[in-house]
Amino acid sequence: MNRLLGVACLWALLAGTAALDCYTFVEISCSGDPSCTQVNLLFASSDPIEVECPADTAMCGLEHASYSADGITVRTRVGGCVVDGVSDLSTGCYGRSELEKIPEYKKNMEGIEKTLGVEFGDVGVCLCNTDLCNGVVVSSVSIAALIASLVVTLGGLLSN
């Protein structure tokens, strides 16, 4: 009986330390210009995939940003496991005015804005800490790189 109780306790401990599961995905949309058709094809969005995050993952995340100019709007959303820089944060959503709480994300977004000479209109990060909580609705470097690629590509398409 003691052995059975020990096994049950061990199982409960192991189950309590299981890795966090998050959805990982990229959604990109462009509207307002015929060249958006090429952008939407070039940067096809991915279907959400359920992934087991690394053991040191603190939260699941959903990052979003948009850029508008000359009647064209590009929106991106990236979901995934968040490992760095969020362990002291509460779950919830953080808009542009609260990004100082996530210094790495803020630095990446401001760097891309400065490099490209643009300002993203809607920027934010939502964090949660239960399995698959980032829904089917990464990383800050990933979204910044995607937006940079989109802006450069869109600029090239429009100049032709």
Side-chain angles (χ1 to χ4, degrees):
M1 183 61 145
N2 285 341
R3 185 173 288 166
L4 184 57
L5 184 58
V7 169
C9 289
L10 180 60
W11 179 257
L13 284 173
L14 290 175
T17 59
L20 183 63
D21 290 337
C22 298
Y23 286 109
T24 183
F25 60 92
V26 175
E27 294 176 356
I28 300 169
S29 66
C30 176
S31 60
D33 190 82
S35 63
C36 284
T37 302
Q38 291 176 305
V39 172
N40 289 332
L41 289 172
L42 185 62
F43 295 98
S45 298
S46 66
D47 291 330
I49 299 170
E50 186 179 323
V51 296
E52 184 176 314
C53 299
D56 58 346
T57 298
M59 295 189 195
C60 298
L62 172 62
E63 303 173 11
H64 59 89
S66 66
Y67 172 73
S68 294
D70 302 322
I72 299 169
T73 300
V74 177
R75 290 185 173 85
T76 63
R77 292 172 12 126
V78 177
C81 305
V82 182
V83 179
D84 298 326
V86 296
S87 58
D88 296 335
L89 295 175
S90 300
T91 59
C93 294
Y94 298 85
R96 182 181 287 279
S97 64
E98 302 166 302
L99 290 183
E100 70 276 352
K101 296 176 184 175
I102 314 172
E104 285 183 39
Y105 182 79
K106 181 178 180 183
K107 180 180 174 185
N108 288 335
M109 293 307 293
E110 288 175 347
I112 294 295
E113 287 177 325
K114 183 177 179 183
T115 300
L116 297 175
V118 300
E119 182 174 329
F120 301 120
D122 179 30
V123 176
V125 179
C126 294
L127 304 170
C128 54
N129 60 6
T130 58
D131 285 339
L132 305 177
C133 58
N134 63 337
V136 291
V137 196
V138 202
S139 73
S140 53
V141 174
S142 299
I143 194 167
L146 281 170
I147 292 171
S149 297
L150 284 168
V151 171
V152 169
T153 301
L154 190 56
L157 290 171
L158 293 176
S159 65
N160 290 333

